[in-house]
Amino acid sequence: MTIRPLTILGQEIEPGGSAQLYMDIAKLPTRTHVEIPVFINRAKKEGPFLLLLAGLHGDEVNGVEILRRIIRAGYHKPTAGAIVCIPIMNIFGFISQSREVPDGRDLNRVFPGSPQGSLASRIAWTLLHQIVQHVDYALDFHTGGASRANFPQVRCVFEDAESVELAEIFNPPFVVASKYLDKSLRKNAKTIGKSVLLYEGGESLRLDEFAIQEGVKGALRVLHHLGLRNDSPPAENPPVMLRKTSWVRATLSGMFRPTAQNGTYVEKGTVLGIITDPYGEFEKKVKSPSSGYIICINYHPLVNQGEALFNIGY
Ligand SMILES: [Zn+2]
């Protein structure tokens, strides 16, 4: 029987083997090498190859904690196939607590990247060609940006039956239809035949215990379904499938206090929060324009007219 090769960052990983490799993209201006740790564990038994990825956006700490717990518990050691773990993809942003890499670019908007391009472009190229290309599936962990808390959800294209099946296996509270964005990892991985499931939970720079636990449990269910593990936490209620989402935006600038609970169903006309004038002149209720599920809340205390406050899914 021929053994399927697994080559990560140019290094061959044999069945039963493991490795901790470092993706070495660039030095800091101080000559300090920035090395991105990559953990690979391969079982003796053949099975699919899966990537667990977090921190593509440097400030999205919930994904980092999800992968940390998976590694700490030893769940990254499969009983068949192989698991590649990258807990912090954008190390630059993680250190500076920012979404972007130091050249100001969003790593998830520069794929497929280029080995001679910008810093972001080089990181994207290496991730896509030296890692993603060599696995079958990837779970990519994100959180809401800029004080916006995402209720745990998996995003996928509903026309892609395999993604929808994996999303249902993951069993988050919500599965949200989300088109492929140009230059995103998900779209570029799809063009080379890889399924990437995108998990969103909590907000940037704040650890959210519920979102972390949902992420760990979902990852274990997918590992079990794909044959990489022998067991998984039981599935809970089936996820609510949301085909459409729309933002409720601020009609006025002011101080903002959400009153509705994230993840709940609201009827049309339900008061979701209040925008106030800091000098006491007005208090404006924010009402839901239609019935649906709240899947994201902006917790920033100051808002400008037009700013996204609540994402409602239908
Ligand atoms: Zn993100």
Side-chain angles (χ1 to χ4, degrees):
M1 201 180 78
T2 53
I3 294 163
R4 186 183 167 199
L6 174 60
T7 314
I8 298 294
L9 296 171
Q11 188 165 320
E12 197 64 40
I13 313 294
E14 305 286 341
S18 65
Q20 183 178 339
L21 305 177
Y22 295 94
M23 193 190 286
D24 186 358
I25 306 281
K27 275 190 263 188
L28 295 178
T30 50
R31 293 188 188 170
T32 310
H33 268 284
V34 175
E35 295 176 318
I36 303 165
V38 179
F39 303 83
I40 307 128
N41 286 273
R42 184 171 184 182
K44 286 206 173 84
K45 199 174 154 193
E46 288 288 340
F49 300 157
L50 177 130
L51 167 67
L52 297 174
L53 177 69
L56 197 59
H57 293 133
D59 59 355
E60 298 183 356
V61 290
N62 286 308
V64 178
E65 174 65 8
I66 289 167
L67 259 66
R68 187 197 72 77
R69 289 192 193 182
I70 286 172
I71 292 171
R72 179 78 185 164
Y75 297 147
H76 65 313
K77 295 175 180 169
T79 51
I83 298 176
V84 180
C85 279
I86 309 178
I88 311 170
M89 189 59 223
N90 178 6
I91 287 228
F92 303 92
F94 188 76
I95 295 167
S96 60
Q97 301 178 30
S98 75
R99 178 182 178 87
E100 294 87 8
V101 289
D103 66 8
R105 286 184 175 84
D106 180 334
L107 257 185
N108 209 15
R109 300 288 182 273
V110 295
F111 283 91
S114 146
Q116 284 86 38
S118 66
L119 175 61
S121 181
R122 289 170 195 224
I123 298 172
W125 190 89
T126 308
L127 174 62
L128 191 65
H129 292 86
Q130 296 198 8
I131 295 178
V132 175
Q133 198 170 313
H134 302 272
V135 300
D136 305 304
Y137 304 92
L139 297 182
D140 184 16
F141 293 91
H142 288 258
T143 75
S147 298
R148 292 191 192 106
N150 281 320
F151 203 74
Q153 56 193 264
V154 167
R155 295 187 182 170
C156 67
V157 172
F158 277 17
E159 290 73 31
D160 178 3
E162 189 185 30
S163 293
V164 172
E165 189 197 3
L166 287 177
E168 286 174 336
I169 296 290
F170 193 104
N171 194 230
F174 296 108
V175 175
V176 182
S178 165
K179 293 217 165 15
Y180 292 119
L181 288 175
D182 265 350
K183 299 190 171 187
S184 68
L185 170 63
R186 198 160 57 106
K187 182 173 181 178
N188 281 270
K190 189 69 199 171
T191 58
I192 56 169
K194 315 295 179 184
S195 274
V196 176
L197 216 55
L198 192 148
Y199 175 77
E200 287 270 355
E203 64 183 285
S204 55
L205 296 177
R206 199 182 307 278
L207 291 174
D208 179 323
E209 186 58 31
F210 180 60
I212 293 162
Q213 288 187 16
E214 286 293 310
V216 172
K217 285 191 284 185
L220 294 180
R221 291 185 193 112
V222 171
L223 294 178
H224 176 233
H225 172 78
L226 295 174
L228 292 149
R229 279 181 57 78
N230 294 327
D231 58 349
S232 73
E236 287 151 33
N237 298 324
V240 177
M241 308 297 283
L242 300 172
R243 295 199 161 269
K244 271 182 74 179
T245 58
S246 80
W247 285 99
V248 178
R249 294 184 179 276
T251 51
L252 296 167
S253 301
M255 308 228 310
F256 172 59
R257 262 184 297 131
T259 51
Q261 288 288 318
N262 214 350
T264 57
Y265 182 82
V266 289
E267 299 284 353
K268 181 178 177 179
T270 303
V271 175
L272 303 176
I274 188 161
I275 300 174
T276 59
D277 170 55
Y279 306 110
E281 186 163 315
F282 65 80
E283 291 189 347
K284 167 93 175 156
K285 285 174 184 158
V286 179
K287 291 180 181 171
S288 185
S290 48
S291 302
Y293 290 91
I294 302 174
I295 58 166
C296 180
I297 296 182
N298 184 348
Y299 285 108
H300 206 273
L302 299 182
V303 295
N304 288 300
Q305 216 170 17
E307 207 162 301
L309 303 180
F310 299 91
N311 200 2
I312 310 285
Y314 312 100

